[in-house]
Amino acid sequence: MKIALHSRRAIALLGIGAMTLGVAACGSSSDSAATPAASSSAAPAASSSSSAAATSADSSSAAPAETSSSAAESAAPAGDAVNLTFSTWVPGMDKVVDLWNAKNPKIQVKVSITPNGGSGTYQNFLNGVKAGTAPDLGQIEYDSLANFRVQDALEDISAVPGVKEAKDSFIPWTWGQVDFAGSGGVYAIPQDAGPMAMFYRKDIFDGLGLKPPTTWAEYAEAAAKINAADPTHYITHFSQGDPNWYTGLLWQAGAKLFDNSGDGVKVNLDSDPKAAEVNSYWQDLISKKLVATNLQGFSPELYKAWDDGSIATWISAAWGYSTIRDNAPAGAGKWAVAPMPQWTAGGNAAGNWGGSSTAVLKGSKHVAEAAQFAIWLNTDPEALTMGNKLGGLYPAAVAGAELPALKEGVAFYGDQKIFDVFNEASKGVDASFQWGPTMTDTYNAIKDGVAATLGGTSTLADAFKLAQEKTVASLEAQAIPVVK
Amino acid sequence: MTTTAADVSAGLAPAPSTKSRSGPGKWQPWLFLFPFLIPFVLFYVAPIAYAFYQSLFKIERTGGIFGKPSQVFAGLSQYASVFSDQDFRASILRVLVFGIVQIPVMLLISLGLALLLDSTLVYFKRFLRISFFVPYGVPGVIAAIMWGFIYSPNLSPIVALLNKLNISIDFLGTHVVLWSIANVVTWTYAGYNMLIIYSALLSIPQEIFEAARLDGASNWDIARRIKIPSVAPALVLTGVFSIIGTLQLFTEAKVFTNISTAITSSYTPNLVVLAKAQNNYNQSAALSVTLAVGTFILSFLFLKLTNRRAGA
């Protein structure tokens, strides 16, 4: 009873506190001018609207200590070890780096495992470059490299001995991504690639007497048959949240979304004829409701649909094999991999989805050593094997195709040697494909447009018209010349 | 009626404190405020000032696409583009519609719960008080993920049940998702607001109720004529919190982007700021400042409006 009375008083006190605040807020205008700002930190959903500014302010305050220490390092006698920092989100990368550290006592690398680029790491890199606290090396996906370059956040490593020579060690299109199709300079070392193929449920295709489609026309026919057999079953889901998946499909078709080779960026999002073809193909499937439109990529709903067989294919990248294996275990032995359906029968064109590079970030005090490490990391057979085993990387190095792990059959796929398919696909990826320098904005616009398309209020063609407008606006806001 | 409210609130905010502020000890409050003021200036005022400073610049570039970028003073031109940003305007409009519906509904629920707890009708008060408040203890992200499962067309037992009853409703569809988010927000904050209102109720002197009963007032009369007017300041306070929270709507929408195709990258003002922050610091700074000022103006107008009513 006493305790109850006590807590009752405490609550009353709390009430008085709250009320005083309320009364103060109701008071004179100068009082209330201060109150909303002060109370917003206590407000329910108050996430600071200036968080971006806060982070950069934070990191700039940390800057002096960091720079002074690395300045001390570079001033140290040449006999001392060089210390490098490396940020990556590949699991197991610390083990690979241990191997390097054991072999190279003079160049010691400290690795930090971060969330993937889009989840904040890119923002941290860019903030760090501004504040002078960025790591020496960072993992950057190909589609973001141009963005990092326009923000002046990458070191040109082409002058470092061994870098230009490394070109032949890599799958040609991956090198095209880091030297910007030979436009002068090298801005990163390719790490992994995401050549695309078709994952499909063999049991479902067999059950309906269907062969895995080899052309997109056959794919559309199969889509109709699968849906006709059971209206809750679809050939695939059309992902709204993965615009880079869709650009992979456009890449396969030979679309050239951007051209960075001239004096300005040429944006072809709404004018490329190949892209228009792909758009109208998928628009047709969406309009006829032959693809699932309410499933987000990498969502529990999708995994369930894979498991219960209501989604029969996934056009995805080499790294996608583990996505299905780990999230839809009921499909063990039922999935298989075939090349991407082709636009022209007998072709071997493939798209690419994802893949990343190891870049030396602007401001590194040891560019040469960092570049040396990046080359080793992505070409040394031992490092590649570990990266593949521990991190699931599909290497960008040509030698990667010879890795034992990539020559074996994969149990989940009925012991099919699925990487043979991806090796072939890798050869069919167009090397001249380029990304825009403000890709996050472009992706956002495509995502939004696709969302409206899937909601039935827009079309893919409109989505790309919107993406064109927004991309041009965002380029202009960055003072990047646009060729019209 | 309104005089009662004013009297009660005047009694609650101890009047003597204002008098003691004059005199030689004027600096003393500042001494006690010091531990608060230092981090407040460092982590609140300074970032805001920095954001405002950043918003006055724009990027210029020499030497083509990959030329060297430099920041140049641009005056208020970033703000001009903020106001011509259709996505931003649409997002503001969206959260305003959201707030106009969600805030009154939530506060009515909070008030109802508080009155129930305060009435003589309910047993297990302490247990109920905690149960109402518990959702607020669930982190916003977790709450959104949890509700996401309940809304999910393929995983949710509730959707499955509705389907069995031949009701098909897509909680994550274009037209419904905003209200699905409103439901999550209401679920989370109704208990929190309830607690503030409830504490205001507890501090009403019991004699008033006794007097009212002697005059023959029913429970309903007491609630309507004494309790509700007495907690008006608490309702204003929770209203302001809710307005601020609504304009800052972020977590639920951000989490739902992973499960709903209906949420765009510019669904709420904070999502617009986030999207812009990827490529354009200056503009996202201008957006943040605009949003902060807008939030301030709206809360201020709300206070003025409710104040005038209370004073009339």
Side-chain angles (χ1 to χ4, degrees):
Chain A
M1 213 46 210
K2 242 180 191 170
I3 302 162
L5 197 76
H6 184 78
S7 69
R8 200 177 155 89
R9 195 176 291 160
I11 287 176
L13 270 173
L14 184 86
I16 290 172
M19 296 274 284
T20 337
L21 191 62
V23 170
C26 300
S28 74
S29 60
S30 66
D31 267 359
S32 44
T35 311
S39 59
S40 72
S41 59
S47 62
S48 168
S49 60
S50 51
S51 62
T55 1
S56 43
D58 267 3
S59 39
S60 67
S61 66
E66 185 74 15
T67 29
S68 66
S69 79
S70 54
E73 275 159 28
S74 57
D80 278 7
V82 163
N83 289 310
L84 299 173
T85 50
F86 172 38
S87 277
T88 175
W89 56 89
V90 176
M93 209 34 110
D94 43 339
K95 303 271 185 328
V96 188
V97 169
D98 285 346
L99 185 68
W100 163 273
N101 284 341
K103 287 184 173 178
N104 298 274
K106 296 226 161 171
I107 307 175
Q108 290 291 299
V109 178
K110 194 171 164 255
V111 71
S112 56
I113 306 282
T114 56
N116 70 49
S119 304
T121 296
Y122 290 152
Q123 199 60 49
N124 287 343
F125 284 168
L126 292 171
N127 289 343
V129 167
K130 259 193 155 188
T133 59
D136 295 284
L137 295 133
Q139 180 182 3
I140 298 176
E141 286 153 296
Y142 300 122
D143 52 6
S144 293
L145 274 176
N147 184 26
F148 271 83
R149 230 187 117 188
V150 297
Q151 308 261 12
D152 196 25
L154 301 175
E155 294 280 357
D156 178 0
I157 53 173
S158 58
V160 176
V163 168
K164 283 200 163 150
E165 293 75 11
K167 179 178 180 176
D168 294 334
S169 310
F170 292 96
I171 300 166
W173 74 261
T174 63
W175 194 263
Q177 297 285 309
V178 298
D179 80 345
F180 291 84
S183 66
V186 175
Y187 294 89
I189 301 293
Q191 178 161 71
D192 69 315
M196 293 169 82
M198 180 178 71
F199 294 91
Y200 69 102
R201 281 283 294 261
K202 207 170 181 316
D203 58 324
I204 294 174
F205 277 81
D206 288 350
L208 293 170
L210 289 168
K211 283 203 181 104
T214 58
T215 65
W216 285 110
E218 285 174 24
Y219 189 80
E221 279 170 35
K225 281 180 185 153
I226 289 170
N227 192 247
D230 182 338
T232 66
H233 286 202
Y234 299 95
I235 192 160
T236 193
H237 71 291
F238 194 94
S239 184
Q240 174 241 325
D242 307 311
N244 39 5
W245 163 74
Y246 195 65
T247 48
L249 299 183
L250 298 175
W251 190 336
Q252 184 215 15
K256 300 273 188 286
L257 303 179
F258 295 92
D259 182 359
N260 298 330
S261 55
D263 295 333
V265 183
K266 180 115 178 43
V267 188
N268 303 320
L269 290 165
D270 70 342
S271 58
D272 186 276
K274 297 273 173 46
E277 229 173 278
V278 180
N279 285 341
S280 73
Y281 174 85
W282 284 99
Q283 183 63 51
D284 189 47
L285 289 182
I286 293 168
S287 305
K288 288 180 179 159
K289 298 190 192 310
L290 294 179
V291 287
T293 55
N294 63 347
L295 295 170
Q296 290 279 32
F298 307 96
S299 66
E301 289 91 340
L302 176 65
Y303 300 149
K304 180 171 175 278
W306 279 346
D307 256 351
D308 66 24
S310 55
I311 298 290
T313 73
W314 188 33
I315 312 284
S316 182
W319 45 259
Y321 82 97
S322 58
T323 310
I324 301 179
R325 182 194 64 196
D326 299 344
N327 295 296
K334 296 174 182 164
W335 286 89
V337 180
M340 263 177 112
Q342 297 293 314
W343 290 101
T344 44
N348 72 334
N352 175 73
W353 179 8
S356 50
S357 65
T358 313
V360 182
L361 293 167
K362 198 83 177 185
S364 166
K365 296 275 185 292
H366 309 286
V367 174
E369 287 87 349
Q372 253 176 293
F373 166 74
I375 294 174
W376 174 86
L377 180 69
N378 298 313
T379 56
D380 181 82
E382 238 179 310
L384 292 180
T385 309
M386 286 177 84
N388 173 253
K389 267 201 182 146
L390 302 170
L393 293 179
Y394 180 82
V398 178
E402 304 305 318
L403 289 182
L406 297 185
K407 301 221 121 199
E408 291 162 7
V410 180
F412 184 84
Y413 298 89
D415 285 326
Q416 187 192 352
K417 293 182 175 175
I418 58 168
F419 291 104
D420 289 352
V421 180
F422 292 109
N423 285 341
E424 272 310 297
S426 191
K427 293 173 192 161
V429 177
D430 181 353
S432 64
F433 188 87
Q434 299 182 23
W435 299 104
T438 52
M439 216 48 215
T440 32
D441 285 345
T442 307
Y443 278 159
N444 276 336
I446 295 177
K447 245 195 260 185
D448 295 350
V450 168
T453 304
L454 300 182
T457 56
S458 181
T459 64
L460 285 175
D462 286 339
F464 276 78
K465 226 175 261 166
L466 179 82
Q468 172 85 17
E469 280 166 28
K470 295 220 168 160
T471 303
V472 169
S474 118
L475 289 168
E476 283 171 345
Q478 286 276 304
I480 297 164
V482 179
V483 177
K484 299 212 175 159
Chain B
M1 201 48 52
T2 45
T3 42
T4 327
D7 284 347
V8 169
S9 53
L12 286 170
S17 67
T18 43
K19 275 177 195 164
S20 66
R21 260 188 215 153
S22 54
K26 221 173 179 179
W27 54 272
Q28 273 164 346
W30 293 101
L31 191 73
F32 289 106
L33 277 174
F34 221 57
F36 162 75
L37 279 178
I38 289 177
F40 177 72
V41 168
L42 266 180
F43 300 111
Y44 202 85
V45 177
I48 289 176
Y50 185 68
F52 178 68
Y53 172 76
Q54 283 283 321
S55 71
L56 301 177
F57 289 85
K58 67 173 184 183
I59 296 287
E60 259 186 15
R61 200 175 293 272
T62 45
I65 308 171
F66 298 114
K68 211 169 169 45
S70 53
Q71 276 198 346
V72 295
F73 186 76
L76 297 176
S77 70
Q78 295 289 8
Y79 291 92
S81 59
V82 165
F83 288 106
S84 63
D85 187 337
Q86 280 193 0
D87 289 339
F88 190 59
R89 286 203 307 239
S91 71
I92 298 251
L93 205 67
R94 188 173 293 117
V95 290
L96 285 180
V97 171
F98 175 95
I100 287 170
V101 178
Q102 189 263 336
I103 295 176
V105 168
M106 174 177 69
L107 292 186
L108 272 179
I109 294 175
S110 304
L111 179 65
L113 291 176
L115 286 173
L116 264 179
L117 275 187
D118 194 54
S119 74
T120 47
L121 305 171
V122 178
Y123 299 97
F124 314 116
K125 271 187 197 172
R126 274 211 292 164
F127 170 74
L128 286 175
R129 197 168 61 212
I130 293 201
S131 326
F132 294 158
F133 188 67
V134 154
Y136 180 67
V138 178
V141 175
I142 306 295
I145 292 173
M146 188 189 83
W147 277 98
F149 276 107
I150 298 178
Y151 291 147
S152 160
N154 297 327
L155 302 174
S156 163
I158 292 175
V159 173
L161 190 75
L162 288 174
N163 282 344
K164 265 188 196 144
L165 301 170
N166 265 335
I167 303 166
S168 79
I169 176 167
D170 182 4
F171 288 111
L172 300 171
T174 315
H175 305 293
V176 186
V177 74
L178 188 64
W179 309 115
S180 301
I181 293 175
N183 177 47
V184 180
V185 174
T186 307
W187 178 83
T188 309
Y189 294 110
Y192 169 86
N193 291 317
M194 179 272 301
L195 206 66
I196 295 177
I197 298 168
Y198 181 57
S199 4
L201 283 174
L202 287 187
S203 51
I204 303 172
Q206 293 292 318
E207 299 82 50
I208 298 180
F209 300 136
E210 281 163 29
R213 290 225 172 74
L214 282 177
D215 286 344
S218 66
N219 275 337
W220 171 241
D221 287 331
I222 291 175
R224 201 164 60 94
R225 292 176 180 253
I226 300 175
K227 288 184 176 175
I228 295 178
S230 305
V231 298
L235 280 172
V236 170
L237 178 80
T238 50
V240 171
F241 280 179
S242 306
I243 289 175
I244 295 168
T246 299
L247 281 163
Q248 311 272 348
L249 194 66
F250 177 75
T251 314
E252 292 80 5
K254 180 72 185 159
V255 171
F256 277 20
T257 50
N258 294 329
I259 50 168
S260 165
T261 57
I263 294 177
T264 63
S265 62
S266 56
Y267 202 71
T268 73
N270 261 342
L271 281 174
V272 178
V273 175
L274 179 79
K276 276 283 181 306
Q278 309 272 345
N279 278 321
N280 199 335
Y281 285 97
N282 307 111
Q283 193 161 16
S284 98
L287 285 163
S288 312
V289 171
T290 310
L291 186 59
V293 171
T295 310
F296 165 70
I297 292 175
L298 212 65
S299 341
F300 181 74
L301 284 180
F302 177 75
L303 283 173
K304 274 278 160 211
L305 198 77
T306 46
N307 223 12
R308 189 178 302 160
R309 264 197 205 158

